[in-house]
Amino acid sequence: MSPTPPPSGPPSGAPSDTLKAVAAGRGKLVGTAVQAGFLSDPPYNAVAGREFNYLTAEYQMKWNVIEPSRGVRDFGPGDAIAGFAASQGMRVKGHTFLWHGATPSWVNALPADELRVAVEQHIRAVADHYRGRIHAWDVVNEAIADGGGSALRDTVFRQKLGDRYIADAFRAARAADPSALLFYNDYGGEGSGVKADRIYALLQELLANGVPIDGVGLQMHIAAGSRPSDGAIAANMRRLAALGLIVHISEMDVRINDTAGSEQMRLEAQRTTYQDVVRVCMLEPRCEAVTFWGFTDAHTWLSGDRPLLFDARYQPKPAYDGVLEALRGR
Ligand code: XIL
């Protein structure tokens, strides 16, 4: 009988250096989003543990999962993720206290005075539960509008609590867990343009007002061939860093369905995109982490595409090699 390879060994064809070994050697975090239920799947568990030193719950630390009905909190799935991270010596990104896309319906229905209390209690209870286990919290997610009139997205929080809900959330988070870094996280503002400028202006104003905010997450949901230039991403990271902020690439994936050419050409374009963007982070001292929004094409929120580093059978794609090269500084 041929020996079974240990689950922690590299898959056939994979380089023996792992993403996390190379990233750690350069002082960076390399992360992935995960779902608790998949961690019992041996290849999923093995690759996550082998390759990454930073973990984000894809959705299981969001308000609608933790407290679907008022006053009853379930930390089970989030705890499973935090427990896996601890067992592997990984850090955890807490994601996310306030996001209009993951707010329980009972919260949306509250009158303003009750909503203010509910937000405070939610942040306090969740931050308190995870205190000491979270490297950084995404305190507010996607609060900036994509275009049009007001810079701030017209969420239920803004409608009922006013623009100050953002500053209040950061202050509540700092009070509840002084040991966690506090992040603002958004998409579509990775390079240049109106949204990037709005994110910059919001953070500049919050900092000027003494709001406790340590970093910014640039989500980086992009497509090969349709993405901000390396130069625009680098310039944006530099100006955010100049505010004193840490920068994370927080949710990277690279779609290829609309990329021209053969499948091999698409996968090569994806590799180049990953390598170029991760290299930008490696060259910016304040860019401390790159997190991918999953790692296997078997489990991606972009079903129908194949935007991640491993294929659906957990084999490394060209994109994996591109990221590894970028982490090595190439
Ligand atoms: C997505 C998850 O991937 C899905 O599984 C979930 O159903 C909805 O949220 N921006 C974010 C992430 O900040 O939380 C989102 O994650 C993707 C977009």
Side-chain angles (χ1 to χ4, degrees):
M1 212 174 83
S2 59
T4 314
S8 59
S12 55
S16 53
D17 281 336
T18 62
L19 301 180
K20 74 173 176 188
V22 178
R26 313 261 331 261
K28 305 274 185 184
L29 296 171
V30 61
T32 182
V34 294
Q35 299 187 27
F38 299 143
L39 289 170
S40 54
D41 185 12
Y44 185 96
N45 185 298
V47 175
R50 188 186 70 223
E51 298 289 342
F52 302 98
N53 56 16
Y54 198 31
L55 223 55
T56 306
E58 184 170 348
Y59 66 88
Q60 290 167 318
M61 291 188 190
K62 292 171 181 168
W63 198 347
N64 60 343
V65 175
I66 290 176
E67 197 182 4
S69 12
R70 192 174 189 176
V72 186
R73 294 194 179 85
D74 178 8
F75 292 108
D79 283 350
I81 291 169
F84 174 74
S87 75
Q88 300 281 344
M90 300 163 150
R91 297 195 192 181
V92 179
K93 166 70 88 77
H95 178 77
T96 168
F97 291 137
L98 294 188
W99 182 33
H100 64 278
T103 308
S105 48
W106 65 266
V107 171
N108 291 324
L110 295 175
D113 53 339
E114 287 188 52
L115 178 63
R116 183 170 298 110
V117 175
V119 166
E120 274 170 29
Q121 287 179 342
H122 166 64
I123 292 174
R124 196 179 321 125
V126 177
D128 196 49
H129 178 83
Y130 286 110
R131 191 169 47 231
R133 294 188 280 166
I134 301 290
H135 177 65
W137 269 109
D138 287 333
V139 177
V140 177
N141 196 36
E142 301 182 357
I144 303 278
D146 291 321
S150 164
L152 290 188
R153 186 186 292 276
D154 205 20
T155 64
V156 67
F157 306 114
R158 178 169 189 253
Q159 285 168 9
K160 295 183 185 175
L161 307 179
D163 294 357
R164 61 169 295 181
Y165 85 90
I166 297 174
D168 288 346
F170 278 93
R171 292 199 169 100
R174 178 64 93 223
D177 182 358
S179 66
L181 298 168
L182 303 182
F183 273 63
Y184 176 77
N185 193 54
D186 213 328
Y187 69 88
E190 291 84 3
S192 58
V194 173
K195 188 136 181 205
D197 290 348
R198 285 176 167 182
I199 293 170
Y200 178 80
L202 171 70
L203 296 170
Q204 189 178 40
E205 188 190 331
L206 291 170
L207 288 164
N209 291 333
V211 176
I213 170 161
D214 304 297
V216 54
L218 307 176
Q219 291 186 8
M220 207 66 74
H221 295 291
I222 57 179
S226 145
R227 61 173 185 97
S229 70
D230 301 350
I233 298 169
N236 195 34
M237 283 184 179
R238 266 198 302 275
R239 70 173 174 168
L240 292 164
L243 291 176
L245 295 169
I246 303 165
V247 179
H248 285 177
I249 292 174
S250 57
E251 306 187 8
M252 186 170 182
D253 46 26
V254 179
R255 301 183 300 277
I256 53 171
N257 269 356
D258 294 335
T259 305
S262 66
E263 184 65 4
Q264 195 189 344
M265 289 160 73
R266 292 175 175 192
L267 293 172
E268 277 307 317
Q270 185 177 53
R271 170 200 170 108
T272 304
T273 301
Y274 268 110
Q275 186 166 348
D276 289 350
V277 172
V278 173
R279 190 192 298 116
V280 172
C281 177
M282 297 306 290
L283 291 171
E284 169 50 55
R286 293 292 276 171
C287 184
E288 296 186 352
V290 179
T291 287
F292 307 105
W293 210 236
F295 59 91
T296 165
D297 289 338
H299 301 301
T300 162
W301 72 311
L302 304 169
S303 52
D305 212 311
R306 48 224 174 283
L308 297 169
L309 302 186
F310 290 81
D311 69 18
R313 288 153 55 191
Y314 297 93
Q315 295 304 303
K317 294 161 61 182
Y320 175 92
D321 300 324
V323 169
L324 197 61
E325 286 294 283
L327 294 174
R328 289 185 174 122
R330 297 200 278 257

